[in-house]
């Protein structure tokens, strides 16, 4: 049955997205400005919390980091233009981890933030690849226009070639760096002039006619250049087609300066107009039930766990499982079916993060994220629902980039360590690889980010009372070799050691990308997957 009335209204106004970027591109700054426009914070500078300003988000995260425990993403919720927007944080600096990738499984769209001087950077590309994997629509925000950077045409070309995705400039910058004068909105045909001395949301707006008053406010050479560039793009580009954006084929691009709060409002308007709401999700076929798509408006409450955060609150040893709601309405204390365990559980405690406040949530809707207290019931990818049995498609495992051998300081406790590692690997906190000849005697740990190692050492000590040591290995690349029809490929030419992951899939570990090129050259019929479905 499909929901109608107020619940349907709530679901329809949900927009859930994440910002993907390389560290220092300005994600925190942009987040802060979005929260400002959303009325969550009332003065900019609250989020960063650097240099003595009031801290809203980062300090909370830093606090968690100093405790050596898992921080990872929070959800920030704000209202804008009658919509309820959930912005999921994708931890990027030292707290970059596999969770950062998994967050992207829980969103309906993403905003790719690019520093105009740096272009497409390495981490942006990795996160972009994860978005591509799901074909989710991607907005692009080119940041730091108030600083010198690449010419906009060059930048667009770089995005298109590096990411093999077409761009559609929604706005176009008027000058850059010292000569940055504003943006032209190609859709509304308006010019917004930038004035460094004024708050960005009080900009002067003019109609675009070439003879309009805005022309006198910019230098002739800047005007000439703008007209030249516009001439090129207007002639080269077809009109904006929302369907192409929604299917992930083209990315609408806006330009601005997050720091100066310029262009952010324009982005947000465009976002509100085109960002997709909660999307229908596919369930997995089982022996008894065929696969189906779950309509967000389905009255059957359903969701899946995309992140588990251990010991967020030291006073409680419990963990928080973050559930993306896929359909229906969540009510605090409701009884749901845990699909993997095939048992009923109560979602007794939940919270949502509105900036620094961890507010208890009584109800939430498809598109929202709720954090529920977990006493060990949940693993990444678990599904819950209020009626019947629903199991959403698996959240894949993503190729780790850091590797270490783990040893327990007390050799008598080796067996206990193996059990603990197995448990942490099932939970999705780490990935484990074994050499078939050696087995679990001497496993290799693989993680995406450094923090995962820190958390591992902390949890081994804290939860399992096992002091462990990590000996780092030189690998940086892991790939799962597959045959042309997607089956595991168990033998390779080129002298590669074939390891096994915890679901007994063959995997190779390599020191550098160059080795991967060699593997591809030696084994032209084999594909080397960067992600793989996890066991259920
Ligand atoms: P991140 O979360 O993506 O890592 O980036 P963050 O927002 O922390 O920004 C990284 C640096 O870039 C910060 O400078 C920030 O002020 C600056 N920045 C962000 N957006 C813009 C922009 O539009 N224009 C300019 N010129 N700079 C921008 P910082 O020196 O590290 O910090 P702060 O002293 O400025 O706070």
């Amino acid at each position: 049955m499909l929901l109608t009335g107020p619940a349907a209204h709530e679901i329809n106004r949900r927009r859930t997205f994440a910002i993907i970027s390389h560290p220092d591109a300005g994600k925190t700054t942009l987040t802060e400005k979005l929260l400002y426009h959303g009325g969550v914070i009332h003065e900019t500078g609250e989020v960063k919390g650097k240099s003595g300003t009031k801290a809203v988000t980062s300090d909370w995260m830093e606090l968690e980091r100093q405790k050596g425990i898992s921080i990872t993403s929070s959800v920030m919720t704000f209202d804008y233009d009658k919509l309820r927007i959930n912005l999921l944080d994708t931890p990027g600096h030292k707290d970059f981890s596999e969770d950062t990738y998994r967050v992207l499984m829980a969103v309906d769209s993403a905003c790719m933030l690019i520093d105009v001087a740096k272009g497409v950077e390495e981490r942006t590309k990795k996160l972009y690849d994860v978005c591509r994997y799901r074909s989710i629509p991607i907005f692009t925000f080119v940041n730091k226009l108030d600083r010198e950077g690449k010419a906009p045409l060059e930048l667009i070309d770089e995005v298109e070639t590096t990411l093999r995705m077409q761009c559609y400039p929604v706005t176009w910058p008027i000058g850059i760096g010292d000569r940055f004068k504003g943006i032209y909105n190609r859709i509304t045909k308006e010019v917004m002039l930038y004035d460094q001395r004024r708050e960005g949301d009080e900009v002067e707006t003019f109609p675009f006619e070439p003879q309009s008053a805005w022309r006198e406010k910019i230098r002739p050479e800047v005007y000439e250049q703008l007209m030249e560039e516009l001439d090129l793009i207007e002639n080269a580009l077809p009109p904006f087609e929302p369907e192409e954006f929604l299917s992930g084929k083209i990315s609408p691009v806006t330009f601005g300066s997050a720091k100066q709060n310029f262009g952010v409002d324009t982005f947000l308007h465009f976002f509100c107009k085109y960002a997709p709401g909660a999307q229908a999700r596919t369930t997995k076929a089982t022996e008894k039930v065929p696969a189906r798509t779950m309509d967000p408006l389905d009255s059957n409450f359903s969701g899946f766990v995309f992140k588990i955060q251990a010991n967020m609150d030291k006073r409680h040893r419990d963990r928080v499982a973050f559930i993306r709601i896929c359909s229906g309405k969540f009510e605090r204390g409701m009884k749901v079916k845990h699909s993997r365990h095939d048992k009923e559980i109560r979602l007794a405690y939940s919270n949502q993060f509105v900036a620094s406040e961890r507010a208890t949530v009584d109800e939430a809707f498809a598109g929202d994220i709720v954090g529920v207290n977990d006493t060990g019931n949940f693993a990444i990818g678990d599904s819950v629902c209020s009626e019947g049995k629903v199991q959403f498609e698996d959240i894949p495992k993503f190729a780790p980039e850091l590797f270490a051998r783990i040893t327990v300081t007390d050799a008598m406790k080796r067996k206990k360590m193996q059990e603990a590692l197995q448990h942490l690997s099932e939970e999705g906190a780490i990935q484990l690889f074994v050499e078939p000849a050696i087995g679990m005697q001497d496993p290799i740990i693989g993680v995406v980010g450094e923090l995962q190692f820190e958390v591992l050492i902390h949890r081994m000590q804290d939860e399992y009372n096992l002091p462990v040591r990590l000996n780092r290995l030189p690998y940086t690349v892991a790939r799962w070799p597959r045959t042309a029809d997607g089956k595991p490929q168990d033998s390779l030419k080129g002298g590669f050691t074939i390891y096994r992951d915890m679901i007994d899939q063959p995997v190779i570990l390599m020191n550098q990308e160059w080795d991967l090129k060699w593997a591809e050259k030696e084994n032209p019929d084999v594909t080397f997957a960067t992600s793989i479905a996890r066991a259920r």
Side-chain angles (χ1 to χ4, degrees):
M1 200 181 74
L2 293 188
L3 291 167
T4 52
H9 172 74
E10 285 302 325
I11 292 171
N12 287 332
R13 75 185 191 102
R14 261 49 185 180
R15 298 291 181 275
T16 301
F17 83 115
I19 299 173
I20 58 170
S21 60
H22 195 79
D24 287 333
K27 180 171 63 95
T28 315
T29 314
L30 180 62
T31 301
E32 178 197 69
K33 297 306 188 299
L34 293 172
L35 293 180
Y36 172 74
H37 286 283
V40 174
I41 56 174
H42 301 289
E43 53 185 290
T44 55
E46 287 185 42
V47 171
K48 288 216 70 169
K50 284 183 185 172
S51 43
T53 50
K54 191 175 148 204
V56 173
T57 307
S58 322
D59 276 12
W60 171 69
M61 296 176 118
E62 180 61 16
L63 213 68
E64 299 291 343
R65 200 190 68 74
Q66 281 170 3
K67 286 190 209 157
I69 53 178
S70 180
I71 317 144
T72 56
S73 33
S74 56
V75 184
M76 281 158 277
T77 299
F78 59 95
D79 287 330
Y80 190 85
D81 220 8
K82 301 200 182 103
L83 297 176
R84 168 66 53 94
I85 299 173
N86 295 312
L87 170 53
L88 274 61
D89 191 18
T90 44
H93 283 264
K94 231 187 138 262
D95 43 1
F96 183 66
S97 73
E98 204 174 346
D99 272 343
T100 311
Y101 292 146
R102 292 194 283 238
V103 164
L104 299 174
M105 301 292 125
V107 296
D108 299 301
S109 63
C111 169
M112 177 166 70
L113 178 68
I114 293 178
D115 180 329
V116 69
K118 306 249 177 80
V120 181
E121 294 176 89
E122 169 239 331
R123 194 142 319 147
T124 314
K125 184 161 184 326
K126 285 188 184 138
L127 294 165
Y128 168 84
D129 287 341
V130 178
C131 293
R132 276 277 97 151
Y133 170 90
R134 290 192 52 221
S135 305
I136 56 171
I138 301 169
F139 297 89
T140 301
F141 186 94
V142 180
N143 193 28
K144 306 196 186 183
L145 264 288
D146 57 319
R147 278 205 198 148
E148 294 307 326
K150 302 185 186 204
L153 280 170
E154 187 193 329
L155 190 96
I156 296 276
D157 188 47
E158 180 181 327
V159 174
E160 291 190 336
T161 356
T162 320
L163 304 179
R164 276 178 266 130
M165 173 181 63
Q166 220 190 315
C167 291
Y168 180 89
V170 173
T171 62
W172 196 257
I174 307 174
I176 184 171
D178 284 347
R179 288 166 301 123
F180 181 50
K181 280 292 164 217
I183 48 175
Y184 164 53
N185 187 330
R186 296 180 58 230
I187 293 186
T188 61
K189 306 239 178 287
E190 284 170 327
V191 167
M192 264 85 68
L193 287 192
Y194 164 68
D195 184 342
Q196 217 176 346
R197 293 155 303 178
R198 294 174 62 167
E199 270 292 308
D201 51 352
E202 296 169 25
V203 287
E204 282 184 285
T205 304
F206 299 85
F208 178 67
E209 287 119 47
Q211 299 313 324
S212 171
W214 63 273
R215 190 177 164 175
E216 281 127 48
K217 298 186 185 244
I218 60 174
R219 283 201 238 144
E221 67 271 22
V222 175
Y223 176 82
E224 291 306 325
Q225 190 180 350
L226 170 72
M227 296 317 267
E228 255 172 52
E229 288 170 347
L230 285 183
D231 207 32
L232 276 172
I233 56 170
E234 300 293 356
N235 285 330
L237 284 177
F240 178 64
E241 295 291 348
E243 291 73 35
E244 287 187 317
F245 159 63
L246 292 174
S247 62
K249 284 201 194 98
I250 62 162
S251 178
V253 183
T254 51
F255 291 82
S257 163
K259 189 170 180 178
Q260 307 295 344
N261 194 15
F262 187 85
V264 178
D265 208 18
T266 306
F267 161 74
L268 205 46
H269 261 104
F270 189 82
F271 174 89
C272 289
K273 191 154 181 207
Y274 293 104
Q279 294 296 287
R281 301 259 175 171
T282 317
T283 65
K284 255 171 92 165
T286 63
E287 280 164 24
K288 291 185 196 144
V289 199
R292 66 178 178 122
T293 44
M294 201 71 191
D295 192 309
L297 291 172
D298 199 310
S299 60
N300 183 3
F301 160 82
S302 69
F304 65 88
V305 175
F306 65 95
K307 185 170 96 83
I308 291 175
Q309 194 155 310
N311 293 332
M312 255 168 56
D313 189 338
K314 264 303 234 181
R315 286 166 300 174
H316 311 285
R317 287 183 55 87
D318 291 354
R319 306 168 310 165
V320 175
F322 286 82
I323 296 177
R324 152 76 199 225
I325 306 176
C326 299
S327 67
K329 179 180 173 184
F330 165 89
E331 282 169 61
R332 192 152 70 94
M334 77 193 293
K335 279 194 178 144
V336 296
K337 176 73 140 315
H338 184 301
S339 298
R340 185 167 52 95
H341 293 328
D342 205 6
K343 69 172 187 187
E344 212 168 60
I345 52 168
R346 251 168 79 85
L347 299 181
Y349 174 79
S350 63
N351 49 50
Q352 223 178 19
F353 299 83
V354 180
S356 69
E357 307 289 316
R358 202 195 305 177
T360 299
V361 169
D362 290 321
E363 53 177 39
F365 298 88
D368 285 338
I369 310 299
V370 285
V372 300
N373 255 21
D374 172 34
T375 48
N377 278 321
F378 287 117
I380 300 287
D382 278 350
S383 299
V384 288
C385 64
S386 56
E387 292 160 38
K389 192 171 175 178
V390 170
Q391 175 62 58
F392 288 100
E393 280 183 334
D394 292 334
I395 292 183
K397 293 196 291 184
F398 298 96
E401 288 168 27
L402 305 170
F403 299 84
R405 268 194 208 279
I406 186 164
T407 43
V408 62
T409 33
D410 179 354
M412 301 291 284
K413 292 189 170 168
R414 195 178 254 177
K415 184 95 190 86
K416 205 174 158 204
M417 177 189 79
Q418 289 167 1
E419 282 165 15
L421 289 177
Q422 215 134 5
H423 181 241
L424 290 172
S425 136
E426 278 160 22
E427 193 193 279
I430 50 162
Q431 291 186 44
L432 275 180
F433 303 100
V434 294
E435 237 173 297
I438 308 177
M440 274 299 280
Q441 279 286 351
D442 218 357
I444 294 177
I445 313 284
V447 295
V448 165
E450 199 68 46
L451 178 77
Q452 285 177 268
F453 276 147
E454 285 174 34
V455 173
L456 170 67
I457 294 173
H458 174 83
R459 290 187 64 186
M460 289 297 269
Q461 175 71 62
D462 202 51
E463 290 173 34
Y464 302 96
N465 195 22
L466 287 168
V468 292
R469 249 200 330 268
L470 294 179
N471 298 314
R472 298 295 282 268
L473 297 168
Y475 309 128
T476 63
V477 183
R479 290 291 184 271
W480 286 271
R482 317 297 279 175
T483 59
D485 52 355
K487 302 228 167 65
Q489 170 77 32
D490 287 303
S491 62
L492 287 177
K493 291 191 193 118
F496 293 93
T497 304
I498 301 205
Y499 294 85
R500 294 269 156 188
D501 69 6
M502 281 298 96
I503 48 170
D504 204 30
Q505 299 292 307
V507 61
I508 52 170
L509 309 180
M510 293 157 284
N511 287 10
Q512 52 197 335
E513 286 285 330
W514 189 89
D515 299 318
L516 175 61
K517 293 219 165 64
W518 169 253
E520 286 168 340
K521 189 161 167 278
E522 289 289 297
N523 303 274
D525 299 332
V526 178
T527 54
F528 293 88
T530 54
S531 60
I532 193 166
R534 60 183 42 250
R536 295 273 79 231

